[in-house]
Amino acid sequence: DEPPAPLLAALPPSSDSFRLILLSPKADIPSEQVRAVLWVPPSEPDRIVAMLDRHPEIEWIHSLSAGVDKLSELIKGRLQDSAVILTNGRGAFSSSLAEYAIAAMFHFNKQIPRCQENKRHKRWDKFVMDVVAGKTMGFVGYGHIAQSTALLAAPFGLRLVALRRHPERRPSDETLAATYGPVEAAAFYAQCDFVVCSLPLTPDTHGIVGRAAFEAMKPEAVFISLGRGACVDETALHEALSSGRIRGAACDVFATEPLPESSPLWECDNLLLSAHNADLTSDYFRLAFDTWAENLD
């Protein structure tokens, strides 16, 4: 299969310091010397393994995407004790994902579905409009995506808190009013009006937002999922949405993608759902290659 046209358009030209070789998923591994691999999902990790087998001189592997969970077996099996450097697209798409989180927040805060329904039925429903100032937005994980979201959220007068695995190891952040550790998770969730999960997928984060988390949230809470879908227990999420345990959710990522038609999440009217395209912007590949170039330098 040929790479998508936007990727080709954003592809940096070869220079005196490097030469790029485009390798389709089924093409033969090149015989000439290869010092680095640029992995573009959804290409299979097996291709990287084949490259490493053929070219032991490889020094660097870069994932164009920020998520490297699909490379977990490769990391544990081939890279953990090797000298090969692995980098990723961390930070390349944080701005667009932060915008999505803010849009999801206002989607529920301003009751956009209610406005649309009123228009559809020509109903003049002069309800009291809420504001976000003074409400609390909590971040499950406080990496680059969460930090970018916090920068957008702060000017709206939101109180910002974070749940982190090792809060004691992190420097203080003036943007945050408080930071909580895992044993304080219930207290963290209980105060949040908006919960933003942008965690990467690891053995420790798989299903970390589950029934206990949703039961600890207030009924007015809105859950926003931006990182990896498998960090969320979708059965527990469906229960929380369908029972009215929480106000609503916005999910751009899911454990299985595309989301199966059999998933009950499709039937939740209080779910804002997108197809893992919150960061698929017109400049997606340019941003990705800019991050690759920074690592190259």
Side-chain angles (χ1 to χ4, degrees):
D1 297 334
E2 291 298 319
L7 184 148
L8 294 175
L11 200 66
S14 297
S15 67
D16 293 338
S17 60
F18 69 89
R19 185 168 75 87
L20 286 174
I21 302 173
L22 286 177
L23 195 64
S24 65
K26 297 180 181 179
D28 293 334
I29 302 298
S31 58
E32 59 193 285
Q33 187 181 56
V34 176
R35 302 293 293 276
V37 174
L38 173 59
W39 181 63
V40 182
S43 177
E44 292 297 325
D46 289 349
R47 296 291 283 169
I48 302 179
V49 174
M51 291 288 289
L52 290 170
D53 289 341
R54 182 71 180 269
H55 295 283
E57 73 274 14
I58 289 175
E59 302 172 357
W60 174 38
I61 297 171
H62 179 81
S63 167
L64 203 68
S65 70
V68 293
D69 44 284
K70 291 185 178 179
L71 301 181
S72 59
E73 294 301 319
L74 173 67
I75 294 170
K76 289 187 291 185
R78 294 291 293 269
L79 303 183
Q80 194 168 31
D81 298 319
S82 78
V84 177
I85 297 170
L86 175 65
T87 58
N88 65 350
R90 180 182 185 273
F93 318 113
S94 297
S95 177
S96 56
L97 291 170
E99 289 184 8
Y100 181 91
I102 298 300
M105 174 183 71
F106 281 118
H107 173 84
F108 289 97
N109 179 259
K110 301 303 180 185
Q111 301 187 59
I112 301 304
R114 181 174 178 175
C115 294
Q116 292 175 318
E117 188 70 10
N118 287 337
K119 180 176 180 293
R120 186 176 299 112
H121 295 285
K122 301 179 180 179
R123 182 169 54 226
W124 191 256
D125 176 20
K126 197 170 183 179
F127 61 87
V128 176
M129 190 72 74
D130 204 355
V131 297
V132 298
K135 296 189 184 300
T136 297
M137 175 176 281
F139 300 98
V140 183
Y142 199 61
H144 201 275
I145 295 170
Q147 292 169 32
S148 298
T149 305
L151 288 176
L152 291 186
F156 290 108
L158 285 148
R159 177 177 176 269
L160 307 175
V161 297
L163 178 66
R164 312 185 75 168
R165 184 170 56 174
H166 297 295
E168 71 283 355
R169 299 182 187 176
R170 305 292 183 177
S172 59
D173 187 316
E174 294 182 357
T175 308
L176 296 176
T179 305
Y180 298 83
V183 297
E184 305 167 297
F188 163 81
Y189 286 117
Q191 64 188 285
C192 295
D193 298 286
F194 306 98
V195 177
V196 180
C197 179
S198 57
L199 289 172
L201 181 60
T202 70
D204 290 334
T205 64
H206 190 280
I208 195 169
V209 182
R211 184 170 286 106
F214 292 117
E215 289 180 351
M217 294 181 195
K218 60 176 68 175
E220 300 82 14
V222 171
F223 176 68
I224 303 169
S225 181
L226 298 171
R228 283 293 181 261
C231 294
V232 180
D233 180 339
E234 292 179 358
T235 299
L237 173 61
H238 174 257
E239 291 174 356
L241 290 172
S242 59
S243 68
R245 181 67 195 80
I246 63 174
R247 180 178 186 178
C251 295
D252 183 56
V253 290
F254 299 89
T256 300
E257 296 180 357
L259 183 66
E261 291 185 10
S262 59
S263 171
L265 290 173
W266 288 107
E267 308 303 322
C268 294
D269 292 335
N270 51 348
L271 173 64
L272 176 63
L273 187 155
S274 52
H276 202 156
N277 61 329
D279 59 354
L280 189 57
T281 56
S282 58
D283 57 354
Y284 176 93
F285 288 111
R286 180 184 64 77
L287 293 172
F289 281 121
D290 284 349
T291 302
W292 168 79
E294 289 173 6
N295 282 282
L296 177 65
D297 292 340

